[in-house]
Amino acid sequence: MPVTRRGLLAGTAVAGAALAVPGTASAAAGGVASGAVGSGEKIRPADARYQDLVQRGTNRRFVGKPEYARVIRSTEDAVDAVQEAVRSGKRIAVRGGGHCFEDFVDSSDIEVLLDMSTYDEVTFDNRYRAFSIGAGATLETVYKELFYGWGVTVPGGGCLGVGVGGHFSGGGYGPLSRKYGSVVDHLYGVEVVVVDAHGRSRSVVATRDNAYKDLWWAHTGGGGGNFGVVTRYLMRSNGASGREPSESLPKAPAALLSSLIVYDWKTIGQAGFVRTLRNFFDFYEKNNTADSPYATLYSPLILTTSAAGNFLLSTQLDAAAPNAAGLMKAFNAAMVEGVDPKPQIIEAGEGPFLHTTMQRSIAETPAPTRGKYKAGYLRKGFTDAQLITLYKGLTDPSYNGPDSSVLFVPYGGKVNTVPSDATATAQRNVMCKMVATATWSDPAEDAKQLAWVRKLYADLYRDTGGVPVPNGTNAGSYINYPDTDLADPAYNKSGVPWHDLYYLGNYPRLQQLKAKWDPRNVFHHKLSIEAR
């Protein structure tokens, strides 16, 4: 069975055909209905489907109450839905996989919800010589279709239920990113529904080499909900010709080696904890080049609170890498060096790529919880003082949150070979990502849970105003882990605006593109790009 999000983060689990009608820049003028069964139907609160659609989000802190929802089955559906909402002056939000961590989709002022979940086809588009992926597809669907159909994959995330709609446009990453780069490094184009200054909606296909290249660039890390409604992504690796589908995206590994290291909170102590984190950081600082023999290594360190009993280091490596078994053995030895008593190492052995990927991935939970997520990029490891702060926060006896965690995810490698301004994903000289998460179920605990994660984050970054201000160690934060606290001076005391933390020097260009492609600011939320 796949690891559940809650189970993995609690530390309790072990590893165990062409598209028929490609869009054009002038296609689907506003008001044209697609003719598909049910297209254009407004699903209102009295409809049996309404509650399921509005509660698809995974963060139960936010549940919207739009006037109606529409299920989008085609680009034409999206054009029509957007046109009607704009004509009526209604506020629009778009839902793909449902993993938005803030209330960008479920805000109380959202009046029209566009649900993309049924628009999830994965095909090869001969016109653009690229894979066409509907914006409602989840990563599980994408991985299976690409691998079983053509033996290829994309370096996307490790959570199966994440939708590509926001994941791709925000600069998604995952287990294969150190080898193959960010997912946006394989984004050839987007089909997106935009609204002009006169309030007219239309669909545009923007690629890295056509007249709408600037709109393509905006979607290579600019984040979701900023420029329009993405209906499909065109995926072809930079430098690939697209003449053969099987050569258009990275080849998937044939098999993966995997292992697990289990650390016991009762025995590790502060010194052992600091040494464990130092081992992790030192290793990735030394092995962070695209040509490293460890380029296919992926080992998220999942630090649950001491209430969970243990925490985990979950590792995978391409089994075809030269001396893969030796590399895995050496890595595990480096991770436990100097830690006494030694943690338990569980060798899971070799397994076929997709099967192992599904086992190791974070699956959807049938009971979504409440959460708050606060992230940062690391150019190098935290200081010992920060690690002690982290230890104290995770072992705080006054806090009982067994489902809360701090996650360190290896990054960099091939990602770092791309110039910062080549895509909107600006962080191109990093070593790993960090995300601190409070997870709970009872609404009565909101204040306590939020206070814990906010204090931990502020203490970690106390020397830079409570946020990861870019410097020799930090590189800002990741827009796909949005945190509205970064725009609040009560929590961000650095004087560095939130958009510089997410976009670094790319923000002015994103502002110009916002003014060009969304001049009426139809698509906006609490951390949306502001036109310039």
Side-chain angles (χ1 to χ4, degrees):
M1 294 293 291
V3 178
T4 66
R5 172 184 288 273
R6 190 169 184 176
L8 178 60
L9 297 183
T12 59
V14 297
L19 190 67
V21 185
T24 66
S26 60
V32 178
S34 69
V37 175
S39 66
E41 184 179 6
K42 295 178 180 178
I43 300 172
R44 299 186 183 276
D47 193 300
R49 295 166 291 178
Y50 179 87
Q51 290 300 328
D52 275 289
L53 288 169
V54 301
Q55 294 190 43
R56 280 189 55 234
T58 61
N59 189 352
R60 281 295 184 265
R61 284 179 62 210
F62 313 112
V63 177
K65 296 181 179 179
E67 292 182 13
Y68 63 86
R70 289 180 65 166
V71 176
I72 304 302
R73 297 177 174 85
S74 67
T75 296
E76 291 77 15
D77 275 358
V79 172
D80 182 63
V82 169
Q83 185 66 76
E84 182 173 4
V86 170
R87 186 183 299 119
S88 303
K90 304 292 187 183
R91 175 89 189 276
I92 304 170
V94 184
R95 172 165 284 145
H99 282 75
C100 184
F101 291 158
E102 293 286 1
D103 66 345
F104 300 166
V105 177
D106 294 310
S107 175
S108 60
D109 61 350
I110 296 298
E111 297 165 300
V112 177
L113 174 64
L114 307 184
D115 188 278
M116 307 296 296
S117 59
T118 62
Y119 192 22
D120 61 354
E121 188 176 33
V122 179
T123 61
F124 190 78
D125 186 329
N126 286 316
R127 174 176 181 177
Y128 292 103
R129 293 180 289 116
F131 287 96
S132 175
I133 300 176
T138 63
L139 291 177
E140 179 173 6
T141 297
V142 171
Y143 295 155
K144 287 180 177 178
E145 292 291 331
L146 290 178
F147 182 69
Y148 288 142
W150 297 273
V152 298
T153 191
V154 290
C159 184
L160 295 174
V162 165
V164 303
H167 183 68
F168 284 7
S169 63
Y173 75 100
L176 298 177
S177 287
R178 282 168 38 83
K179 176 68 173 178
Y180 295 120
S182 167
V183 72
V184 300
D185 300 330
H186 306 273
L187 177 63
Y188 175 70
V190 288
E191 184 163 28
V192 55
V193 176
V194 296
V195 178
D196 66 20
H198 302 289
R200 294 190 295 256
S201 66
R202 64 176 177 137
S203 68
V204 175
V205 175
T207 73
R208 70 166 76 105
D209 54 15
N210 74 2
Y212 308 103
K213 181 179 180 179
D214 60 350
L215 186 60
W216 162 83
W217 185 89
H219 286 87
T220 61
N226 276 308
F227 302 96
V229 179
V230 176
T231 58
R232 65 181 179 127
Y233 290 95
L234 298 169
M235 306 302 295
R236 189 214 308 164
S237 300
N238 197 11
S241 69
R243 285 190 291 267
E244 292 293 334
S246 61
E247 297 174 356
S248 299
L249 286 173
K251 290 287 186 183
L256 297 171
L257 285 178
S258 58
S259 70
L260 195 73
I261 302 180
V262 183
Y263 300 83
D264 189 341
W265 273 116
K266 294 185 179 65
T267 61
I268 193 166
Q270 179 177 291
F273 179 86
V274 171
R275 181 58 186 265
T276 294
L277 271 291
R278 186 60 55 213
N279 288 346
F280 180 86
F281 291 139
D282 286 351
F283 182 90
Y284 280 104
E285 286 181 35
K286 295 174 183 175
N287 294 276
N288 196 27
T289 59
D291 60 353
S292 166
Y294 284 101
T296 64
L297 182 74
Y298 180 72
S299 58
L301 180 58
I302 308 153
L303 303 174
T304 49
T305 64
S306 58
N310 54 52
F311 62 89
L312 307 173
L313 181 68
S314 180
T315 304
Q316 71 175 53
L317 179 72
D318 187 344
N323 189 31
L327 292 174
M328 179 70 85
K329 182 177 181 180
F331 171 74
N332 285 335
M335 291 303 97
V336 302
E337 183 179 356
V339 181
D340 185 24
K342 298 290 186 188
Q344 180 184 12
I345 300 177
I346 301 172
E347 299 287 356
E350 181 177 325
F353 166 70
L354 192 59
H355 176 76
T356 304
T357 296
M358 294 300 151
Q359 280 188 318
R360 293 174 49 81
S361 295
I362 306 173
E364 284 298 275
T365 172
T369 55
R370 307 169 79 81
K372 178 65 177 178
Y373 307 80
K374 302 178 72 66
Y377 283 100
L378 279 74
R379 289 179 170 139
K380 63 180 182 179
F382 282 155
T383 65
D384 283 358
Q386 286 176 298
L387 296 182
I388 291 171
T389 293
L390 185 58
Y391 176 82
K392 291 179 177 178
L394 291 169
T395 60
D396 182 352
S398 68
Y399 178 69
N400 182 24
D403 297 327
S404 299
S405 65
V406 174
L407 179 66
F408 290 96
V409 186
Y411 194 54
K414 183 71 170 180
V415 172
N416 293 346
T417 65
V418 177
S420 183
D421 61 354
T423 65
T425 301
Q427 287 85 355
R428 295 291 187 166
N429 59 344
V430 294
M431 177 266 293
C432 76
K433 299 190 184 191
M434 182 278 294
V435 56
T437 305
T439 304
W440 68 100
S441 298
D442 186 354
E445 293 190 354
D446 283 5
K448 180 183 75 173
Q449 298 289 344
L450 290 169
W452 175 80
V453 72
R454 283 169 169 162
K455 183 179 187 303
L456 177 62
Y457 191 80
D459 288 348
L460 282 172
Y461 295 111
R462 65 168 60 92
D463 292 339
T464 52
V467 297
V469 173
N471 57 22
T473 299
N474 307 317
S477 193
Y478 175 45
I479 194 59
N480 278 356
Y481 298 156
D483 175 14
T484 56
D485 289 354
L486 298 189
D488 188 338
Y491 305 108
N492 179 359
K493 302 176 181 179
S494 69
V496 177
W498 66 267
H499 45 73
D500 287 354
L501 298 175
Y502 286 117
Y503 299 116
L504 307 183
N506 285 340
Y507 190 62
R509 183 178 177 187
L510 287 167
Q511 288 183 285
Q512 293 170 354
L513 295 175
K514 176 70 170 180
K516 176 180 178 179
W517 287 103
D518 185 21
R520 297 166 64 100
N521 198 29
V522 171
F523 307 100
H524 63 277
H525 49 72
K526 291 178 180 176
L527 294 179
S528 57
I529 293 164
E530 298 172 350
R532 181 179 180 181

